Amino acid sequence: MPATRTLFFCTECGNESARWAGQCPACQAWNTLAQAPAPARGKRGPTLRAGAAAPARLGEGPSAPRSRRRTGIAELDLVLGGGLVAGSVVLLGGEPGVGKSTLLLQAAAALTSDSGPVLYVSGEESAEQVALRAERLGPGTRDVLFLAETDADAVVAAALSESPSIILIDSIQTMRVDDVDGTAGNVGQVRECAARLQRYAKSTGAAVVLVGHVTKDGAVAGPRTLEHMVDVVLYFEGTRGAEHRILRAAKNRFGSAQEVGLFTMTGAGLVAVEDPSEVLLSNRSRSAPGAAVTVTMEGTRPLLVEVQALCAESTFGSPQRVSTGVDARRLAMLLAVLEKGTGVTFGRQDVFLNVTGGVRLGETAADLAVCTAILSSARGRPVAHDTVVLGEVGLTGELRPVPGLARRLAEAARLGFERALIPDAAEDPGPSADRLRVTRLPDIGAIAEVAFA
Ligand code: TYD
Ligand code: MG
């Protein structure tokens, strides 16, 4: 047997290095380098050759704009950027139990009735288990081709004989090939299986969706090692137990990576949330201090979310800063600006921050709402119920305009809000301003005077 070159992959970021180290040179994570044999050359299961390499014009041949297949699940299509692109590979990541298999099976059913055979491969569940689940999801799932298989080469062979237009692999961590060392789920196996399926996709034009389990501690060879290889990376998130699920694009070669889709898990599978803003605000209490509503742009859609804060006297030495849905460093900065701008001190206060519905606020437009919620909790005074708060907070306490103001305000007005607090420097608030009382604020200090009921 020829000596195989060994490589090391970081299970966190997928970085490839020639020798082992305790710390990943790329992402600085500790103890994440795992050994994997470099792909053996010339030994690649069923071989697929796309033909001799010959250049072609961009508008012609394989490089011409490719066709997309709508999955029939509107929220999924939105996040995909319009549907599955022929010949592409999509990675669907998420924690176990979040609903990845359910989403795929539902998509498979919708796709089968629309665009021919869909092959659903499960390495985790038996045909009986999947059939049982399929029954709950409705009659459309009956025509989905099912294969219980963990050998990636066998999957490719089955695909070659059935020629499905779409292949769903549940999950990539259960797949293995014989000519690579290690058990299923190890980095080398995961990468090699994905590479073979990708080669199949590229040469036949079938779209492949790979499910990848993500664990919180990253102990398992995570799908992160695949992020570089695939065309689209989607993450399915949601707290287990809570019924809402958020589907988010982390990378998309064929569309925006900003879009999110919202689902509710029901007894009959995942159902798209028709009015996300309304749902996210549905359990709002009328008069509790420590909450402020803002409008965040998730891709092209404005979404109303509630930011909640709790300030409480710390019982231990250094005060805690716990934040869910807002970057912890951003929170630290906003607290410092708040102290300077309003005189309220947080040196002996624990500050907890949460965004309802599991939404992550990645944009600075939510700054002012975060500050308002914190101030509201610190002062014990609720924010007026009919008010939305929008604005970026600068280091000197100045308020900066937010992009897409008119669309955000239109969404707030649609949901019955009557008042908006926006930065002084903001652009024209648009026609919906007629339905809202718009108050312009010069700096963070002004919020204390106008926000509270
Ligand atoms: P599953 O799709 O198996 O999650 P994953 O593939 O990401 O591990 O399903 C997750 C949970 O959803 C499971 O605990 C059962 C529940 N569920 C429903 O509530 N309704 C349904 O119709 C189905 C199929 C599952
Ligand atoms: Mg599953």
Side-chain angles (χ1 to χ4, degrees):
M1 196 171 148
T4 47
R5 204 158 53 94
T6 25
L7 278 178
F8 296 88
F9 295 100
C10 172
T11 55
E12 273 298 306
C13 69
N15 181 58
E16 206 175 290
S17 31
R19 63 181 73 83
W20 189 85
Q23 188 180 23
C24 170
C27 72
Q28 262 78 49
W30 287 95
N31 294 325
T32 53
L33 293 206
Q35 186 175 352
R41 299 193 198 288
K43 225 169 59 159
R44 294 193 183 279
T47 27
L48 295 156
R49 289 206 52 107
R57 287 192 178 76
L58 277 174
E60 297 165 5
S63 48
R66 291 190 269 186
S67 61
R68 287 177 187 271
R69 288 194 188 83
R70 296 205 160 267
T71 64
I73 298 177
E75 297 285 293
L76 178 59
D77 286 334
L78 175 78
V79 179
L80 283 169
L84 285 166
V85 173
S88 71
V89 179
V90 177
L91 175 67
L92 174 63
E95 287 177 34
V98 72
K100 301 180 293 298
S101 305
T102 308
L103 182 64
L104 279 197
L105 205 51
Q106 285 182 245
L111 280 160
T112 304
S113 62
D114 237 42
S115 58
V118 176
L119 180 60
Y120 182 99
V121 182
S122 181
E124 311 205 322
E125 293 164 306
S126 66
E128 289 77 35
Q129 284 171 305
V130 175
L132 211 63
R133 181 200 306 256
E135 206 157 279
R136 289 168 64 179
L137 299 177
T141 52
R142 274 187 209 140
D143 293 325
V144 176
L145 290 174
F146 179 80
L147 178 68
E149 184 56 76
T150 55
D151 184 326
D153 291 335
V155 171
V156 171
L160 282 170
S161 73
E162 299 285 343
S163 329
S165 49
I166 288 145
I167 307 176
L168 311 170
I169 307 286
D170 191 2
S171 65
I172 190 66
Q173 276 115 336
T174 59
M175 294 291 141
R176 66 181 310 281
V177 285
D178 284 335
D179 47 350
V180 171
D181 291 336
T183 51
N186 113 349
V187 200
Q189 287 284 3
V190 165
R191 287 176 64 102
E192 186 57 24
C193 292
R196 287 185 194 182
L197 290 161
Q198 182 170 45
R199 222 170 299 135
Y200 173 82
K202 298 275 178 262
S203 59
T204 60
V208 173
V209 182
L210 308 172
V211 165
H213 293 296
V214 188
T215 53
K216 279 206 173 115
D217 58 358
V220 185
R224 294 205 186 279
T225 61
L226 297 179
E227 280 184 356
H228 309 290
M229 301 170 61
V230 301
D231 302 300
V232 179
V233 178
L234 306 182
Y235 280 105
F236 206 26
E237 301 166 359
T239 26
R240 218 174 305 172
E243 72 218 25
H244 288 118
R245 302 284 185 272
I246 298 177
L247 185 68
R248 215 181 261 290
K251 162 181 174 180
N252 194 344
R253 285 189 183 147
F254 315 114
S256 156
Q258 305 292 317
E259 300 292 351
V260 299
L262 262 103
F263 295 92
T264 319
M265 183 60 97
T266 70
L270 291 156
V271 178
V273 173
E274 295 280 325
D275 193 341
S277 292
E278 198 186 321
V279 171
L280 288 170
L281 294 181
S282 61
N283 293 320
R284 222 149 62 93
S285 97
R286 281 214 143 251
S287 56
V293 176
T294 189
V295 193
T296 178
M297 292 303 272
E298 290 286 358
T300 52
R301 293 197 296 194
L303 199 63
L304 272 94
V305 290
E306 188 182 57
V307 182
Q308 298 181 333
L310 177 65
C311 302
E313 194 129 333
S314 359
T315 43
F316 298 111
S318 55
Q320 296 192 68
R321 306 280 181 251
V322 182
S323 166
T324 314
V326 174
D327 180 58
R329 279 167 302 186
R330 192 83 196 163
L331 171 61
M333 175 220 129
L334 292 174
L335 283 173
V337 175
L338 257 182
E339 280 207 2
K340 274 254 156 85
T342 64
V344 181
T345 54
F346 298 97
R348 297 222 186 119
Q349 299 268 307
D350 289 337
V351 178
F352 302 93
L353 201 74
N354 181 42
V355 182
T356 54
V359 176
R360 264 196 327 238
L361 294 177
E363 47 161 23
T364 49
D367 286 353
L368 190 56
V370 171
C371 291
T372 308
I374 293 170
L375 207 56
S376 165
S377 175
R379 297 221 164 150
R381 293 182 60 191
V383 177
H385 196 73
D386 61 354
T387 303
V388 285
V389 186
L390 284 163
E392 176 182 337
V393 175
L395 281 179
T396 61
E398 85 277 18
L399 300 185
R400 294 156 169 268
V402 300
L405 181 70
R407 296 195 49 206
R408 297 183 204 241
L409 291 182
E411 178 74 354
R414 186 181 73 79
L415 278 139
F417 283 81
E418 289 173 0
R419 185 160 168 251
L421 305 180
I422 65 170
D424 213 3
E427 60 191 80
D428 176 22
S432 53
D434 300 345
R435 288 182 283 154
L436 291 164
R437 279 178 292 128
V438 176
T439 309
R440 291 172 176 268
L441 307 175
D443 55 37
I444 189 75
I447 194 79
E449 289 150 36
V450 295
F452 303 115

